[in-house]
Amino acid sequence: MKPASVELSAALASCRSALVSLIVTSGLLNVLYLTASFFMLLISDRILPSRSVPSLVGLVLLALMLYAFQSALEALRGRILSRIGNVLDECLNPRVFDALVRGPLDGTAPANSQMPLRDLDQVRGFLGGSAPTALCDLPWMPLYFSICFLFHPLIGVATVSGALLLVLITLVADRLTRGPSQVAMEHGQRRSTVTEASCRNADVLIAMGMQGHFAARWEEAHHHYLMAQQRMTDVAGASSAVSKAARMALQSGVLALGAYLVIRGQSSPGIIIASSILLGRALAPLDATIANWKGVIAAQQSWIRLADTIRKAPAVRHMPVLPAPTRMLKVEGVSVAPPGGTRLTVKEVSFSLKAGQALAITGPSGSGKSTLVRALVGILPLNRGTVWLDAVPIPQWQAADFGRHVGYLPQEVSLFAGTVAENIARFTPNADRAGIEEAARQAGIHELIERLPQGYDTALGEGGTGLSGGQRQRIGLARALFGSPFLLVLDEPNANLDGEGDAALTQAILSVRARGGVVIIVAHRISALAAVDLMLTIEAGQVAAFGTKDAVLRNIRGRSGSEAGAVRADARPGRPSVSHPPIQILKESA
């Protein structure tokens, strides 16, 4: 097994006292498990020959008391294991949630994005099951072997031989089930990938008659998954059956051996029964481990994946609280690769913006505009270069603190299940209602929200169900404006806006500039440039032009040698506009 990450080691260390209690409890339990063997031994060798009823009553009462203690300790051990699982969950769930959120940004397939959470659930569920109790009893098997040797050396040898046989069965089962288990997991992930893609694109599948093709792909993936699961179940079932038969044969063999020793006068009748019970108790942990081996392997694989996930995800660092930025944004030699890729799509981009300035980033589709702005707000890591707010690099900001100074509107606006007010307030607890309404007014959507059935308290479905694309975009703009952030980054904010929305967007940008904020907008329509004073053009991931808006536009028109390429100011989604290649960079989507 790979070494656990620092966080996993720390989580285990926090359970140290519980683990010590678990060891002590298991030791006491395994001593109490001897009650049945010695009870039968005393009955056969002491009570029956003496015919003493008081001794029998006393022995029965003593056995009942020991059984009561055993029951209490069994319940206590189960509670300890359950608490250990909960403590591990509490220690790791913040890191797991961080991995869930960052997974898609790191190129993780959607079907695998929930894997860290499933792994954590698997480990916690395993600790609450029967397999850990069997594993806790395994170290105490030598105690039973020693007593068997005290009964008679031949009985001890038989017991140890049986245990070695079951260990061999366990090792063979482990070797045979690891491969099918891994294959089953891979086929399960592939099936989940096809399922998730089909659900996400259901409208396309139905409208274009592709449902049958994807159904065939899903059935193929599902068939391979079932076959792998069947192979794993067959191996586990066969090993369990062999183990059960070997254990029963061994118990019968020990009874026969005990009878032989009694016949030869080398043992007492009570030893026969006691050794049989003791053998069953000694081999019970091995038998239970083999029966639960599938769960043991699954938990082990989940633990390894969880350790890898946490090791790869950057730990949340606690930074000092910094003063709010007020002066500038500086981008210095920034190069960025997309999630999961190595080829740079943004190369050596540098510029700086002072408080009160607004920059429009333009360029042809696929030139790296969205990648650049996602890096500026800390979504994507920088391969090279630095982004500064005032004199502080972004990595030195506490994540939550940095987020308060940034407003971001992505291309695809996705709202969350909750009220309109909660979405605008970024789900900040006890957010100021006046601040929420002010952000909505800046986005020009206050009146529209008040016309909703419950106004700001109207509940939205996941993704903003019930709102049009333009309404979602303007509520997303209000969310970006909430809290008066210093840096406002808008990625094609007017893609779904009408004339009224364009005017509200322009006014919002002007209001941010007026209060000393910095605005960056990815533009593909000329109307988005109305409130900016600077312009940066990107081609093939590199800066092609940077300067004042008028100077960059003159440079573009000069290169074309014609004014015919200007983007029509009345361009709207769904209404085609005629434009020429030189200024096409202002109308293509990022």
Side-chain angles (χ1 to χ4, degrees):
M1 184 183 295
K2 298 179 183 178
S5 66
V6 175
E7 286 86 353
L8 290 180
S9 300
L12 288 174
S14 67
C15 302
R16 186 180 293 111
S17 59
L19 292 172
V20 171
S21 300
L22 182 64
I23 293 172
V24 173
T25 303
S26 296
L28 292 174
L29 268 173
N30 279 273
V31 171
L32 290 173
Y33 286 151
L34 298 172
T35 300
S37 298
F38 283 99
F39 179 80
M40 294 306 300
L41 178 64
L42 293 173
I43 287 289
S44 299
D45 293 351
R46 296 288 186 269
I47 303 300
L48 291 179
S50 68
R51 299 180 181 273
S52 173
V53 174
S55 297
L56 176 63
V57 172
L59 185 61
V60 169
L61 292 176
L62 177 61
L64 290 175
M65 182 179 66
L66 293 177
Y67 287 141
F69 278 119
Q70 178 182 321
S71 174
L73 288 176
E74 286 273 17
L76 178 62
R77 183 166 66 171
R79 291 171 67 88
I80 292 173
L81 284 167
S82 175
R83 299 311 188 271
I84 290 175
N86 288 340
V87 169
L88 287 176
D89 189 293
E90 291 174 1
C91 291
L92 299 178
N93 71 69
R95 300 284 282 116
V96 168
F97 180 76
D98 186 60
L100 291 175
V101 173
R102 292 187 176 275
L105 304 179
D106 296 333
T108 302
N112 299 334
S113 60
Q114 298 293 318
M115 183 62 74
L117 182 59
R118 290 196 292 268
D119 287 335
L120 184 60
D121 289 340
Q122 175 73 39
V123 171
R124 189 185 64 251
F126 171 78
L127 290 173
S130 59
T133 60
L135 295 175
C136 289
D137 290 337
L138 283 176
W140 300 98
M141 289 178 61
L143 171 65
Y144 302 107
F145 297 155
S146 301
I147 297 176
C148 287
F149 273 103
L150 290 176
F151 285 164
H152 196 278
L154 289 180
I155 294 177
V157 170
T159 304
V160 172
S161 300
L164 292 176
L165 176 62
L166 291 182
V167 168
L168 178 62
I169 294 173
T170 303
L171 294 176
V172 172
D174 175 48
R175 187 175 183 84
L176 294 178
T177 55
R178 281 185 182 275
S181 176
Q182 183 66 28
V183 172
M185 186 191 72
E186 293 172 356
H187 284 303
Q189 290 176 349
R190 184 181 171 214
R191 183 186 65 170
S192 299
T193 299
V194 176
T195 303
E196 194 275 336
S198 301
C199 295
R200 188 177 64 249
N201 301 289
D203 50 351
V204 175
L205 297 184
I206 294 174
M208 302 180 67
M210 297 167 60
Q211 187 173 355
H213 305 314
F214 265 75
R217 294 184 65 186
W218 187 89
E219 288 175 4
E220 179 187 3
H222 185 63
H223 173 75
H224 288 306
Y225 173 73
L226 287 181
M227 291 300 99
Q229 283 281 3
Q230 181 175 304
R231 286 193 294 272
M232 183 172 63
T233 302
D234 288 346
V235 172
S239 62
S240 178
V242 171
S243 170
K244 184 177 180 180
R247 181 180 169 187
M248 294 177 66
L250 186 61
Q251 282 186 300
S252 298
V254 168
L255 282 172
L257 178 60
Y260 170 78
L261 293 174
V262 171
I263 293 173
R264 296 295 300 271
Q266 299 179 18
S267 180
S268 65
I271 295 291
I272 300 177
I273 302 175
S275 60
S276 177
I277 296 174
L278 196 62
L279 175 67
R281 182 59 250 172
L283 300 183
L286 273 177
D287 200 36
T289 300
I290 294 172
N292 292 280
W293 197 247
K294 180 179 175 181
V296 173
I297 294 299
Q300 184 186 39
Q301 292 176 344
S302 294
W303 182 263
I304 293 173
R305 285 195 302 269
L306 199 58
D308 287 340
T309 298
I310 293 177
R311 189 185 300 111
K312 292 174 183 177
V316 178
R317 295 181 296 172
H318 296 284
M319 302 293 186
V321 178
L322 300 171
T326 58
R327 294 184 286 110
M328 64 178 294
L329 167 75
K330 184 178 180 181
V331 179
E332 192 174 72
V334 164
S335 297
V336 188
T342 57
R343 186 179 65 86
L344 296 176
T345 53
V346 174
K347 307 168 188 175
E348 300 296 331
V349 173
S350 298
F351 61 87
S352 63
L353 301 176
K354 297 179 181 178
Q357 289 186 318
L359 170 71
I361 301 178
T362 63
S365 180
S367 60
K369 303 183 298 296
S370 293
T371 300
L372 173 60
V373 296
R374 283 158 65 86
L376 296 183
V377 295
I379 297 174
L380 299 180
L382 305 181
N383 291 66
R384 290 194 297 270
T386 309
V387 178
W388 309 73
L389 274 183
D390 286 354
V392 183
I394 285 181
Q396 293 185 17
W397 288 85
Q398 187 78 17
D401 196 27
F402 175 76
R404 285 194 293 271
H405 306 308
V406 173
Y408 175 60
L409 181 66
Q411 283 186 25
E412 299 292 334
V413 180
S414 181
L415 303 179
F416 299 93
T419 66
V420 173
E422 287 175 327
N423 273 275
I424 293 176
R426 310 181 185 187
F427 287 83
T428 303
N430 303 316
D432 179 40
R433 190 57 172 258
I436 296 173
E437 294 182 3
E438 177 60 27
R441 286 191 176 90
Q442 290 183 29
I445 200 171
H446 174 70
E447 289 75 15
L448 185 149
I449 292 174
E450 289 198 322
R451 290 197 296 269
L452 294 175
Q454 282 82 39
Y456 282 88
D457 295 322
T458 300
L460 302 178
E462 192 64 43
T465 305
L467 300 176
S468 68
Q471 290 172 336
R472 287 197 298 271
Q473 198 152 32
R474 291 171 73 177
I475 290 179
L477 176 60
R479 179 177 63 189
L481 292 167
F482 176 77
S484 302
F486 173 72
L487 174 61
L488 181 66
V489 178
L490 311 174
D491 194 353
E492 296 189 22
N494 57 352
N496 297 306
L497 299 183
D498 53 14
E500 180 184 349
D502 272 338
L505 174 64
T506 299
Q507 188 58 44
I509 295 174
L510 290 173
S511 67
V512 173
R513 294 183 61 186
R515 62 174 171 78
V518 169
V519 181
I520 296 178
I521 177 171
V522 175
H524 73 290
R525 282 163 49 184
I526 196 68
S527 59
L529 306 182
V532 305
D533 56 337
L534 298 174
M535 187 170 168
L536 182 146
T537 301
I538 294 181
E539 294 180 4
Q542 296 179 307
V543 176
F546 174 66
T548 63
K549 176 177 62 176
D550 294 336
V552 173
L553 288 175
R554 280 196 304 269
N555 180 49
I556 295 175
R557 290 164 181 160
R559 286 162 53 191
S560 70
S562 171
E563 296 290 332
V567 177
R568 286 176 47 179
D570 60 345
R572 294 286 182 271
R575 183 188 304 171
S577 61
V578 180
S579 58
H580 294 273
I583 311 298
Q584 192 176 12
I585 55 175
L586 296 181
K587 72 181 186 66
E588 289 186 337
S589 60

